[in-house]
Amino acid sequence: MTATHFDIVGSFLRPERLKRARANRQAGNISAQDLMDVENQEIADLVQKEVQVGLKIVTDGEFRRSYWHLDTFWGFDGIKHTHQEHGYQFHGVETRNDSAQVEGKIKFNPNHPDLQAFRYLQSVVKNYPGITARQSIPSPAQLYAELVRGPENIAAVQKYYPNHQDLVHDIGTAYRDLILALYEAGCRDVKLDDCTWGMLADHDFWKLMTDQAEDIEQLQQEYVAFNNAALVDLPADLRTSTHVCRGNYASTWAAQGGYQPVAKTLFNEENVENYYLEFDDQRAGDFQPLAEVPATKNVVLGLVTSKRPELEKPETLKERVKEASQYVNLDRLGLSTQCGFASTEEGNHLTEAQQWDKIKLVIETANQIWPATKED
């Protein structure tokens, strides 16, 4: 595990000042620099709050993003911002309809917004000794899933990438170049956010997304190939992880089902060291799939929901960690919220105070389960 057994997934509710600034920028009332100035101040304030609450790994809250994934995709050369007829289908809700589409050969752009964002975050974190800045990025498999979402996107892929292996190579290379650029900027903790595995575990949702019941085993191998192509020969001191999500939009969800259908491939074949897994309600299934996790890997249990304000009972969390330890040794487990608080700028339905109460619950409970992590 990391130095502590408590953690976060990454995104935070957008402060009202930031929401107003983004709306004013979109309306043309302020400049791009004006918006950046607000973002910078709000991120600096957020990091201070993260440190004060006791977190050792911090993020910028994804305050510069509209989406947890699409903003990253749009930052690569060869990918453009498009719109589809419909948004993503969540439980009782349809999202905005933005998408990403191939418009040329995919490459890393040295001016990628995630790299620029991390450089600022790192400049802030340098003021806090012992604190690590994390950069979360959507997985390569997630990019692939977006690029084949709907007939127009598929046609664009076929136009520029008639050979599938060329697509795997270029996406993997673009991502690896981004990761290495982040490393050069001081990043030592990269997390790949990934809904593809959670969707695969829900056959009905995947059929809805693709308009067909594709071979699940084949798709798993494709996803591993895309992700692992980005994880080749990375620096030894770079911590890599993945968060496997079932959808997180305005407190709603997209998919359901346990990890069993994908556990063997996901845990054994993807070349990451740490898994952030959602176990906050019955939709997530039981802990049995964790039996597939190799002894060299760690699991952060997302037992505290970021979707609802009600606080879980510490004793219940302790019992669930104990149950999970039947499959993964306690020293290789950690505790976190099941997802971020604002995977998109809309955010989940709770207040900022309730958000911090959730994080305090995670830290306090973890310090009781793993006393050695408690700071003096």
Side-chain angles (χ1 to χ4, degrees):
M1 285 300 301
T2 57
T4 60
H5 289 266
F6 52 80
D7 214 327
I8 55 174
V9 173
S11 64
F12 284 82
L13 296 172
R14 311 303 197 260
E16 286 303 317
R17 179 173 176 240
L18 178 57
K19 289 183 178 181
R20 288 195 301 270
R22 289 184 68 91
N24 283 328
R25 173 57 186 157
Q26 189 171 13
N29 297 329
I30 63 174
S31 69
Q33 184 61 53
D34 291 335
L35 174 58
M36 183 178 292
D37 289 343
V38 173
E39 291 171 341
N40 288 349
Q41 184 59 61
E42 293 296 338
I43 289 168
D45 290 348
L46 173 67
V47 170
Q48 182 180 46
K49 292 175 183 177
E50 291 178 272
V51 174
Q52 287 177 342
V53 82
L55 293 171
K56 302 303 179 185
I57 299 174
V58 302
T59 75
D60 67 0
E62 302 179 11
F63 280 3
R64 300 189 198 275
R65 297 180 182 175
S66 179
Y67 293 88
W68 65 276
H69 60 326
L70 293 176
D71 298 69
T72 299
F73 301 160
W74 299 328
F76 290 116
D77 287 347
I79 295 176
K80 65 179 179 179
H81 183 170
T82 60
H83 294 85
Q84 299 211 9
E85 183 177 354
H86 293 286
Y88 306 102
Q89 298 298 326
F90 277 68
H91 188 62
V93 178
E94 181 176 325
T95 73
R96 290 171 282 147
N97 66 346
D98 299 89
S99 185
Q101 187 178 103
V102 177
E103 64 172 354
K105 292 299 183 181
I106 299 170
K107 297 178 182 178
F108 168 66
N109 186 320
N111 294 315
H112 195 288
D114 287 355
L115 178 58
Q116 304 302 325
F118 181 81
R119 285 174 174 154
Y120 178 75
L121 175 62
Q122 183 72 353
S123 74
V124 174
V125 170
K126 284 181 178 179
N127 298 317
Y128 300 99
I131 302 299
T132 299
R134 168 179 294 150
Q135 182 63 39
S136 297
I137 55 178
S139 73
Q142 193 73 49
L143 172 55
Y144 171 64
E146 188 67 31
L147 295 181
V148 294
R149 185 165 74 95
E152 289 187 8
N153 280 7
I154 292 173
V157 168
Q158 292 172 343
K159 175 182 178 181
Y160 292 101
Y161 286 98
N163 184 315
H164 183 74
Q165 288 307 311
D166 290 342
L167 181 64
V168 175
H169 175 271
D170 282 6
I171 288 179
T173 300
Y175 262 88
R176 184 172 181 273
D177 288 346
L178 171 59
I179 292 171
L180 291 176
L182 288 166
Y183 183 86
E184 288 299 316
C187 184
R188 296 297 181 267
D189 189 307
V190 170
K191 175 169 61 66
L192 302 179
D193 290 322
D194 200 339
C195 285
T196 60
W197 300 97
M199 305 312 168
L200 280 183
D202 184 340
H203 182 271
D204 290 340
F205 183 88
W206 187 251
K207 186 176 180 180
L208 174 67
M209 282 286 289
T210 62
D211 296 323
Q212 54 189 317
E214 296 188 51
D215 185 283
I216 299 300
E217 294 299 325
Q218 179 185 341
L219 282 170
Q220 290 188 50
Q221 291 306 313
E222 287 192 352
Y223 291 162
V224 165
F226 276 105
N227 289 344
N228 283 349
L231 300 168
V232 176
D233 295 329
L234 295 178
D237 61 340
L238 176 64
R239 182 179 184 271
T240 58
S241 63
T242 188
H243 169 235
V244 181
C245 182
R246 294 179 180 83
N248 187 54
Y249 176 79
S251 289
T252 60
W253 50 272
Q256 58 187 330
Y259 291 109
Q260 196 63 50
V262 298
K264 186 172 183 179
T265 304
L266 174 63
F267 298 143
N268 287 278
E269 297 185 33
E270 185 158 325
N271 295 330
V272 295
E273 307 159 359
N274 309 279
Y275 294 85
Y276 292 72
L277 303 177
E278 298 191 340
F279 288 107
D280 61 323
D281 62 24
Q282 295 302 313
R283 289 184 302 106
D286 58 29
F287 295 125
Q288 188 172 356
L290 297 182
E292 293 287 349
V293 177
T296 56
K297 297 187 176 186
N298 307 306
V299 173
V300 181
L301 301 168
L303 299 176
V304 175
T305 189
S306 67
K307 296 181 185 294
R308 299 180 299 277
E310 296 79 14
L311 288 176
E312 290 80 356
K313 296 180 179 179
E315 292 307 316
T316 300
L317 296 176
K318 294 176 189 176
E319 285 299 316
R320 297 204 70 198
V321 171
K322 182 178 179 181
E323 183 182 350
S325 70
Q326 299 175 57
Y327 303 100
V328 177
N329 288 343
L330 188 63
D331 63 347
R332 293 191 289 114
L333 291 175
L335 180 65
S336 75
T337 54
Q338 110 288 344
C339 196
F341 293 93
S343 298
T344 68
E345 59 185 307
E346 285 84 354
N348 285 342
H349 296 164
L350 65 170
T351 66
E352 288 189 45
Q354 291 165 339
Q355 165 185 265
W356 291 109
D357 285 343
K358 290 278 183 173
I359 293 173
K360 291 175 185 176
L361 174 64
V362 167
I363 295 173
E364 291 168 0
T365 305
N367 281 335
Q368 294 173 25
I369 299 171
W370 297 278
T373 69
K374 188 174 178 59
E375 296 295 315
D376 294 331

